[in-house]
Structures are given as C-alpha cells and as structure tokens.
Amino acid sequence: LQTGTMQQARRMLNALHPAEIAHLLESMPPAQRELVWELVDPEYDGEVLLHLGDEVRQSLIQGMDAEELIQAAHSLDVDDLADLIQDLPHAVLQETLEGMDKQRRQRLEAILSYPEDSAGGLMDTDTVTVRADVTLDVVLRYLRLRGALPDLTDKLIVVNRYDKFLGLLALSALLTQDPEHTVAEVMDGASAGIPAETPAHEVAKMFEDHDLISAPVVNDAGVLLGRITIDDVVDVIREQADHSVMGRAGLSEDEDIFAPVIRSSRRRAVWLGINLATAFLASWVIGLFEYTIQRSVALAVLMPIVASMGGIAGSQTLTLVVRGLALDQVNRGNLRWIFSKEIAVGAINGLLWALVVALIALIWFDSLRIGVIIAVAMIINLFAAAVVGVTLPPLLRRFGVDPAIAGSVILTTFTDVIGYASFLGLATVVLFGL
Amino acid sequence: LQTGTMQQARRMLNALHPAEIAHLLESMPPAQRELVWELVDPEYDGEVLLHLGDEVRQSLIQGMDAEELIQAAHSLDVDDLADLIQDLPHAVLQETLEGMDKQRRQRLEAILSYPEDSAGGLMDTDTVTVRADVTLDVVLRYLRLRGALPDLTDKLIVVNRYDKFLGLLALSALLTQDPEHTVAEVMDGASAGIPAETPAHEVAKMFEDHDLISAPVVNDAGVLLGRITIDDVVDVIREQADHSVMGRAGLSEDEDIFAPVIRSSRRRAVWLGINLATAFLASWVIGLFEYTIQRSVALAVLMPIVASMGGIAGSQTLTLVVRGLALDQVNRGNLRWIFSKEIAVGAINGLLWALVVALIALIWFDSLRIGVIIAVAMIINLFAAAVVGVTLPPLLRRFGVDPAIAGSVILTTFTDVIGYASFLGLATVVLFGL
C-alpha cells in the first residue's frame, strides 16, 4: 500500500512543470523537501535545480552524488548550465566539461566569459540565423527542413557571411508577407543588437520599454554572439525586486525561508551585530546627557519620539531616492531639485508635527519649555532626515555600496544620533543653562 | 534660432519609443516636464500616458483639453484604453465611448466588467483564431490574406464555431510542420485557458513558471474572451515589486518623485501621524517607569538598545514571512514549522547578543544587575519579535489588511512597547524591589 501511494505521488509530482516542482520544494521544511526531491524524475533534476533559489539549490546539490549531477548538467541548455555551474563541485564540473562536445563547450565558455549580470551572461547561443539576400520562400523551406525552433523564438536573426548582425525577421512577417520578397526587403534593419557588456538592469529596461520577446546580443564588432529571451529578463526583474525588499532587512534575495536554524541564526547575527553597534552609538549620545535626564525625567520619556519621527521621515525620502536611482530617474541634473523639494517637505511636516507634539508634551508634562524644546528638536531632525535621505544614496553608490542594503541602517543611525543630541542638547541649554 | 532648437528637440523626442518618452517625463521636475510634454507629437500622447505612473499621468491629463484627450483615447488599443479610462474626466469618457464603433465599445465593456487586477482586466480582445479541422496550408493562406498580426502573437488560438477554446497553434509549429496536417493534429490541446477571474499575481506566476508569451483567457463556459500578453504581465511584476518596497515606507508605488511639495507633504503627513501615535504609545510605557528612571539614569541610556534590537530582529522575520505569503510559499501546513524555526533563531540570537550587551553594560555602568536585566529584556524582546513577525502577516491578511504596508508599523509598535516594558519593568522589580 505504502509503495502504491508513493508511486502515485511520484506520478503526480513529475506531471508538474519543473518550475512548479521547484516552487513546491521551496515551500517545504528540509525533511519533507528531501523526501520529495528523491521522487523527482532524474531527467527533470537539472530544470528543477535551475528554478530554485540559490540557497535551496545548494543544499539539494550537496545531497546529490557526482553521477546524478553530471546527468542533470547534461540535460540543460547551455545558457541554463552557465547559471548552474558555479554551484557544482569542482570534480563534477571537470567531468561535465570533458563530456561535452566541442561546440557546446565553446558556447558555454562564450557565456561564462561575461559577467553573470550582463547581456553576455544572460544570453543563450542557440540562435536561428538567415541571410539577407534569400527570399522568404527559401527561409520557409529551410525552416520546414530544420524542424522545431528553439523556445521563445519570435524572430529570426539576419546576419551576413561573417556572422555580423544585420537585422531581425519576425515570424509574423514571414507568415504574412509575400514569399517572393527577399529577407532584406522585409526585415527590421533599424534595431541594433545589444552589446554583450550591457548591464542586466539596462537589458531589462530595454525589454520593458520595447515589449521585446527576444533580442540579439553582439560583440564590439557587431558580430552576433547569441540572444536574450524574455524569460531570463523576467527573472532579472524578479531578482531586482526581491533584492530591494530583502536587502533592507539585511537578508539575501535567495534566502530559504526553511533554512536550518543554525545557518539562519548565524547570518542574521551579522545584521543584528551591525545594528547593535549603531544602537550603542545612540546610547552613548544619550549618556552624554545623563545629568540633564536625571533632573528632568520627562526628557527620557519623550526622547524616542524625536528619534523615531526622524527615522520615519528619512526612510520615506531614502526609499524614493533609492528607487529613483534604480530606475535612472534621479541624476546629477535633477538631484538639486529633489533636494530642495525634500527639504521643503521635511520643513512643512516638521513644523506641523512639531506643533502637535509640543501641544501634547505641554499638556502631559505641564511645561511650555519642554514643548518648545521638543518642537525645535523635531524640526531639526526632520530637516536632517531630508538632507541625509537625499544625499546618502548617491554617495553610497559612488563608493560602490548598495544603497538598498546599507541605506536604511546608516540613515537611522543619523536620525537617532541627531534626534537625541538635538533634543537633549537643547534641553540642557534651555532648562539648566549649561 | 530658438525655434530651430525647439524643432530639433521635438524631432529627437518623437524619435524615442513612447515608453522612453514616459521615462524621460518621469525624470523631470514639473516645469520642465510640462514643456517637454508640449513637444510630444499628439499621436503618441495616448501611448506615453499609458507608460507613466498613475500620479504623473493624472497631473498631465489635468493640463490637457478635452479634444486632445479624446484623440489620445482613440489612438489606443482597447486593453490599453481600459487602463487609462479611470483617469479620464467624465465628459471626455462619455464622448470617447460615443465616438467608438460598436465592436470596440463591446470589447472595452468586456474588459471593464472584470477587476483591473484579474486576468479579465489584463486581457486584450484582439485575438487571431483558427478552426481545428482546417489544414495548416489553409491557415497559412488565411494569414497571408489577413496581413499583419497583433504584436506579441506567438500562437494562434484554436476555437470551435461557438468560440469555445480548444487549443493553441504556435507560429513555430505552423512554420515547421507539414502543411497537409490539420490544425487539430498539430495544436497543443493540453493547455487550458486562464479563467477571467484569476488574480493578476497568479497570472504572473503562470507566465513565469511556463515561460509564456501570451495565453488565452476564457469564461466559465470555456468560451474565449481574449488573451494576455507578457508585456502586461511584466508590468504586474514590476508593480508588485514597487508596492512592497514603497508600501513599507508608507508610499504609493505610483509616487511621483517630482510631485509638488504641498501634495507630497500632505500624503506623507498621514504616515508620520500614524507613526507619531505609536511613538507616543511607547513614550507612555516609558512614562509608567519615570520613578525608576529617576533613580537610575543608566536605564534611560540603555533602553533604546532593547527596543531597537527587537525591531530589527522582528523585521527580518516579518520580511521573510510577508514574502513567503506573497509567493505562496507559506501556508497553514508549514506555518507552525516556520514559527518554531523563527522562535529558535530568535532565542539563539537573543542569547548571543544579550551576553554581548550585558558585558558592555556591566563594563560601562559597573553594575552586574543592570547587565543581567538588559540581557533578560533582550531575550524577551527578541522572542516576542519572532512571535509577532511570524503571526502578524497571516493575521493581517485574514482581516484584509496588506501586511507589506501595515506590517512593519505594527511590529515595531509591539517591539518598542515590549522592549521598554520588559527592560524598565524588570529594573523596577530587581533594583528597587517594587
């Protein structure tokens, strides 16, 4: 009976698309995951591994023997294999490369010679090319002889005899135009190939702006190297998005939600440690005013409000600017405009909420002076938050630091320190004239 | 001379793709933006408006007169018009509808009858259909007669005489298979149509999992209603991503970085107000322990550390769970597993950093008791952070609240209150035996 149920489960599982199997595996705790992974048909292993997040993929690869891995590698397209290759153990990689025919190995090497997050790293080398001087009728007969086209082929690539890229011939043009026309007459010769060094996020933008399904990749000399397809671009967009969301909490976009406790704890400890350091910095600032607090405990009660409002206002500005940078909306030319605007917004909201906070503080502690102090401190901190929120992201970027990850920690360090220092500093001067 | 330069700018601008013009407009302060918008050729107005974020689009529409808007609306495909329609003034909408031929109006009404974020709302009704019993040769001749195919057509849709969906005929199959075969023999009859009520995020997942370019949309009876294309799916993915990032800072995903100061200030004031309320709640908790703080100011110095570490640890858990929910990785079956794991991670990091903090506090204030108090409070708060981080997102979702927006405000309210209360409460008991 047990075996029968297993057989049925195996059949149901392998009827799914590899991406769906990958999704199922990612939604399972480790013990269950390994059990289900055993049931996956070895011929799908490669495809499933490809659709998994880095972390889950690595943990499953660790449990596979060399033979299974080599088989999985051989079942993949060259561009997919290029994505997987850095996760394979060295011995497996060696044997996989040796087992490949020369053409396949050359293609793989071509892809691997470009950074993973460039057009060259995203491309597949499996292109269907035609010459410009033949008629559509010849192309139609050629395709019929050739048989099946690679997935996501919406156009053929027109090249000369030296493989130089000339233009694109859409399948729909092939189907609707007069077969007596030559390729040169019908092709789209206006669109250029994507240079292999183009960063992945720019490729994604091109695909989005021009509603592309596939696009040719060329080298400096205009020679066709391969093509990028929309499925890989969608992965880039998804990863960018995950990176922004997860990075802000100090997590990797490939984080496995079912990762073992020890591994998760270790990784998160680093982030907590960084934040602890900044928290101690804020405490040290507060410590400078111990004497003031002792004489008016109301200050200790109210001080987190100033710090927290600065953090919130600053993170709004920061989020806008970081996204603007990622979308290339923010540049040198308009940064000054954004700066003025954010300062103005900070000032208006600073004044508004300073008034509200002052009123509440006045009523709560029956002290006009404390009300005025917290109001002024709030205005200072919201002003500082706007300044830091606008200037920090371009600055971090210039130093090669990712503002989506480091931005909010650094910002809140500033707003905490400035918030506590301005509030307690003002109080020291005003209340005790020190 | 001035006019000559303008003419040149106009030519350069209108040589761009509408999506690129939109991007340019979004990267400009209002004054410049209006100037450039004036230069855009009216025949591109509709397409450009379509590619703009909601906020920028609305501001430009406000400056257009009825005639320009009606012209822009007429230049658009029906599915694109459906996206724009809610931003049009009532009079313009009325006139646009009256100026449409009956077929176009019916198509528009079909799309508008479904929610914007469903398969029906995403679909275009401009499909190319063929019958199952004809030969490929007949289809080829039909296409040549028909002329150009709609953009992003990678397959024809096979229907019966009642428009019931039967299967898909890929253009590549049409080009590579024997023309004597019938459509029925060659078509992919296994894939089902997408029901019109399917939520947009599920549609996006289908496209990602199966690497689709287009997919048919059907009603309950299996009758073909239209098709969804990958460009609209990419927009859905991009919007989902923006929503997660911007929502966390209380911003809309359509926020215009160059919005006027007053409008930006008003919108952000709401978020700051909500956060001010939670900050006062935390202050009120601190206020309960005024007497304790007065007797040991070291507590005021150290208390933000406990609160802030809880917030950081909690937001890591929250971010993971919110993303897991969005990707359907988290469900009832595995929530308990995630809960146990996050508690364990919280406990380990709680212990680790409690020790570090206790040591620093001991050295700084030369008091073992304060060291022990802060250590215990940290462990309590990191434990609470894990509990709230895991349970809050599914709970919010059940009550129809978006955890990506409300999650982090509510979480930090908890971690602040629990952090201050546990640290100051313990101190009151231990130090002063109250």
Side-chain angles (χ1 to χ4, degrees):
Chain A
L1 192 77
Q2 185 69 10
T3 331
T5 320
M6 280 304 240
Q7 284 300 337
Q8 209 178 347
R10 186 191 296 268
R11 261 199 307 277
M12 279 169 61
L13 182 70
N14 289 296
L16 294 176
H17 188 281
E20 291 167 333
I21 300 178
H23 180 248
L24 200 67
L25 289 168
E26 285 185 331
S27 312
M28 284 176 172
Q32 228 179 315
R33 185 184 285 166
E34 271 162 42
L35 213 75
V36 172
W37 178 234
E38 285 300 310
L39 294 180
V40 173
D41 195 327
E43 70 172 298
Y44 300 138
D45 277 4
E47 281 285 330
V48 173
L49 284 176
L50 198 70
H51 283 95
L52 290 169
D54 278 2
E55 197 180 334
V56 180
R57 182 199 292 165
Q58 279 159 18
S59 76
L60 290 182
I61 283 180
Q62 273 165 22
M64 291 170 77
D65 59 35
E67 203 170 323
E68 288 172 321
L69 281 172
I70 292 166
Q71 197 189 338
H74 278 299
S75 73
L76 289 174
D77 284 345
V78 170
D79 68 324
D80 293 336
L81 180 55
D83 292 340
L84 201 65
I85 220 156
Q86 76 247 23
D87 293 328
L88 295 178
H90 189 74
V92 170
L93 178 57
Q94 209 57 27
E95 200 160 334
T96 304
L97 287 175
E98 279 163 19
M100 284 172 124
D101 61 43
K102 196 175 158 207
Q103 193 195 21
R104 213 168 126 86
R105 192 162 61 236
Q106 277 174 344
R107 286 178 170 183
L108 183 64
E109 280 162 3
I111 298 172
L112 291 176
S113 68
Y114 294 99
E116 206 188 342
D117 58 348
S118 70
L122 286 174
M123 74 184 177
D124 188 1
T125 52
D126 195 5
T127 54
V128 182
T129 57
V130 291
R131 292 287 165 79
D133 52 3
V134 300
T135 62
L136 298 191
D137 193 48
V138 171
V139 176
L140 287 166
R141 275 183 287 136
Y142 161 68
L143 290 183
R144 232 171 273 290
L145 271 173
R146 188 188 190 281
L149 295 173
D151 285 346
L152 299 170
T153 298
D154 63 320
K155 42 199 170 208
L156 310 180
I157 304 177
V158 186
V159 292
N160 70 10
R161 65 156 77 179
Y162 307 109
D163 259 355
K164 198 165 143 63
F165 170 73
L166 297 178
L168 296 166
L169 177 66
L171 295 191
S172 59
L174 199 54
L175 285 165
T176 54
Q177 302 282 319
D178 183 349
E180 296 308 311
H181 282 314
T182 63
V183 168
E185 288 171 317
V186 172
M187 76 177 187
D188 167 17
S191 65
I194 299 178
E197 294 80 15
T198 313
H201 75 268
E202 281 180 28
V203 174
K205 214 174 153 315
M206 285 181 204
F207 269 73
E208 280 186 82
D209 281 355
H210 299 275
D211 293 344
L212 301 178
I213 294 171
S214 69
V217 178
V218 296
N219 69 9
D220 294 338
V223 171
L224 181 70
L225 297 174
R227 63 177 192 129
I228 299 177
T229 47
I230 181 77
D231 54 332
D232 293 319
V233 172
V234 168
D235 289 345
V236 169
I237 295 174
R238 186 63 93 181
E239 269 168 38
Q240 278 180 345
D242 275 354
H243 178 76
S244 313
V245 174
M246 303 290 274
R248 179 158 288 218
L251 299 167
S252 145
E253 60 267 31
D254 286 307
E255 183 96 13
D256 172 11
I257 194 169
F258 298 100
V261 169
I262 295 299
R263 201 195 301 157
S264 293
S265 304
R266 199 166 33 202
R267 265 189 320 222
R268 296 207 211 152
V270 178
W271 192 246
L272 287 167
I274 294 170
N275 278 280
L276 183 62
T278 76
F280 263 114
L281 187 65
S283 284
W284 174 75
V285 172
I286 301 172
L288 298 176
F289 301 96
E290 260 187 81
Y291 177 73
T292 309
I293 294 171
Q294 191 141 37
R295 290 182 54 187
S296 173
V297 180
L299 299 176
V301 174
L302 293 173
M303 66 185 186
I305 291 173
V306 181
S308 126
M309 289 294 275
I312 297 291
S315 85
Q316 291 196 312
T317 302
L318 184 84
T319 303
L320 262 187
V321 175
V322 169
R323 189 181 70 149
L325 279 175
L327 297 181
D328 286 325
Q329 282 176 355
V330 174
N331 51 48
R332 265 164 179 257
N334 58 28
L335 196 62
R336 185 185 296 264
W337 196 97
I338 297 172
F339 187 79
S340 316
K341 179 204 148 187
E342 291 296 322
I343 296 284
V345 172
I348 291 177
N349 270 311
L351 281 170
L352 171 69
W353 294 110
L355 213 71
V356 173
V357 171
L359 259 171
I360 298 176
L362 170 65
I363 295 166
W364 190 354
F365 294 101
D366 198 20
S367 157
L368 181 63
R369 287 203 291 183
I370 285 186
V372 172
I373 290 165
I374 196 168
V376 176
M378 282 255 314
I379 293 169
I380 291 174
N381 205 21
L382 261 68
F383 180 83
V387 173
V388 177
V390 175
T391 52
L392 186 62
L395 209 69
L396 286 175
R397 207 187 229 203
R398 189 170 317 161
F399 288 104
V401 179
D402 183 353
I405 293 180
S408 93
V409 190
I410 301 180
L411 174 95
T412 50
T413 307
F414 271 100
T415 50
D416 278 357
V417 167
I418 296 172
Y420 290 129
S422 60
F423 181 56
L424 297 175
L426 274 170
T428 307
V429 174
V430 173
L431 295 180
F432 312 114
L434 295 177
Chain B
L1 192 81
Q2 183 72 7
T3 331
T5 321
M6 279 306 238
Q7 284 300 336
Q8 210 179 348
R10 187 193 294 271
R11 261 200 307 278
M12 279 169 60
L13 183 70
N14 289 296
L16 294 176
H17 188 280
E20 290 166 334
I21 300 178
H23 180 249
L24 200 67
L25 289 167
E26 285 185 333
S27 311
M28 286 176 170
Q32 226 178 319
R33 186 184 284 164
E34 271 162 42
L35 213 77
V36 172
W37 179 232
E38 285 300 310
L39 296 181
V40 174
D41 194 326
E43 71 173 296
Y44 300 137
D45 276 4
E47 282 285 330
V48 173
L49 284 175
L50 198 71
H51 283 95
L52 291 168
D54 279 0
E55 199 180 332
V56 180
R57 181 198 294 165
Q58 280 160 17
S59 75
L60 291 182
I61 282 180
Q62 274 165 21
M64 291 170 77
D65 61 34
E67 203 170 323
E68 288 172 321
L69 281 171
I70 292 165
Q71 197 190 339
H74 277 299
S75 72
L76 289 174
D77 284 345
V78 170
D79 67 324
D80 292 336
L81 181 55
D83 291 340
L84 201 66
I85 219 155
Q86 74 247 24
D87 293 328
L88 295 178
H90 189 73
V92 171
L93 179 57
Q94 209 57 29
E95 199 160 334
T96 305
L97 287 174
E98 279 163 18
M100 284 171 122
D101 61 43
K102 194 172 159 213
Q103 193 195 21
R104 215 168 123 86
R105 192 161 63 238
Q106 277 174 345
R107 284 177 172 185
L108 183 64
E109 280 162 4
I111 297 172
L112 291 175
S113 68
Y114 294 99
E116 206 188 342
D117 58 348
S118 71
L122 287 174
M123 75 184 175
D124 186 2
T125 53
D126 195 5
T127 53
V128 182
T129 57
V130 292
R131 290 290 166 76
D133 51 3
V134 300
T135 62
L136 298 192
D137 194 47
V138 171
V139 176
L140 287 166
R141 275 183 286 135
Y142 161 69
L143 289 184
R144 232 170 274 288
L145 272 174
R146 189 187 189 282
L149 295 174
D151 286 345
L152 298 171
T153 298
D154 63 319
K155 42 199 169 205
L156 309 180
I157 304 177
V158 187
V159 293
N160 71 9
R161 62 156 77 178
Y162 307 108
D163 258 354
K164 198 164 143 65
F165 170 73
L166 297 179
L168 296 166
L169 177 65
L171 296 192
S172 60
L174 198 53
L175 285 165
T176 54
Q177 300 282 316
D178 182 349
E180 296 307 310
H181 283 314
T182 64
V183 168
E185 287 171 317
V186 172
M187 75 177 187
D188 168 16
S191 65
I194 299 178
E197 295 80 17
T198 313
H201 75 267
E202 281 180 30
V203 173
K205 217 178 150 312
M206 283 181 206
F207 269 72
E208 280 186 82
D209 281 355
H210 298 277
D211 294 344
L212 300 178
I213 293 172
S214 69
V217 178
V218 295
N219 70 8
D220 294 339
V223 171
L224 181 70
L225 298 175
R227 65 177 189 129
I228 299 178
T229 48
I230 181 77
D231 55 332
D232 293 319
V233 172
V234 169
D235 289 344
V236 169
I237 294 173
R238 187 62 94 181
E239 270 168 36
Q240 279 180 345
D242 276 353
H243 177 76
S244 313
V245 175
M246 303 289 275
R248 179 159 290 217
L251 300 166
S252 145
E253 60 267 31
D254 287 307
E255 184 97 14
D256 171 13
I257 194 169
F258 298 100
V261 170
I262 295 297
R263 201 196 300 159
S264 292
S265 304
R266 199 167 32 202
R267 265 190 320 222
R268 297 207 210 153
V270 177
W271 192 246
L272 287 166
I274 293 170
N275 278 280
L276 183 62
T278 75
F280 264 115
L281 187 66
S283 284
W284 173 74
V285 172
I286 300 172
L288 297 177
F289 301 96
E290 260 186 81
Y291 177 74
T292 308
I293 294 171
Q294 191 142 39
R295 291 183 54 186
S296 171
V297 181
L299 299 176
V301 174
L302 292 173
M303 68 186 184
I305 291 172
V306 181
S308 124
M309 289 294 274
I312 297 291
S315 84
Q316 291 196 311
T317 303
L318 185 85
T319 303
L320 262 188
V321 175
V322 168
R323 188 180 72 147
L325 279 174
L327 298 180
D328 285 326
Q329 281 176 356
V330 173
N331 51 49
R332 264 164 180 256
N334 58 28
L335 196 62
R336 184 185 296 264
W337 197 95
I338 297 171
F339 187 79
S340 316
K341 178 204 149 189
E342 291 296 324
I343 296 285
V345 172
I348 290 176
N349 271 311
L351 281 171
L352 170 68
W353 294 110
L355 213 71
V356 173
V357 171
L359 259 170
I360 298 176
L362 171 65
I363 294 165
W364 190 353
F365 294 99
D366 197 20
S367 157
L368 183 62
R369 286 202 294 182
I370 286 187
V372 172
I373 291 166
I374 197 168
V376 176
M378 283 256 310
I379 292 168
I380 292 174
N381 206 20
L382 261 68
F383 179 84
V387 173
V388 176
V390 174
T391 53
L392 186 63
L395 209 68
L396 285 175
R397 205 187 230 203
R398 191 173 313 161
F399 288 104
V401 179
D402 184 352
I405 293 180
S408 92
V409 189
I410 301 180
L411 173 96
T412 50
T413 308
F414 270 99
T415 50
D416 278 358
V417 166
I418 296 171
Y420 292 129
S422 60
F423 180 56
L424 298 174
L426 275 169
T428 308
V429 174
V430 174
L431 295 180
F432 313 111
L434 296 175

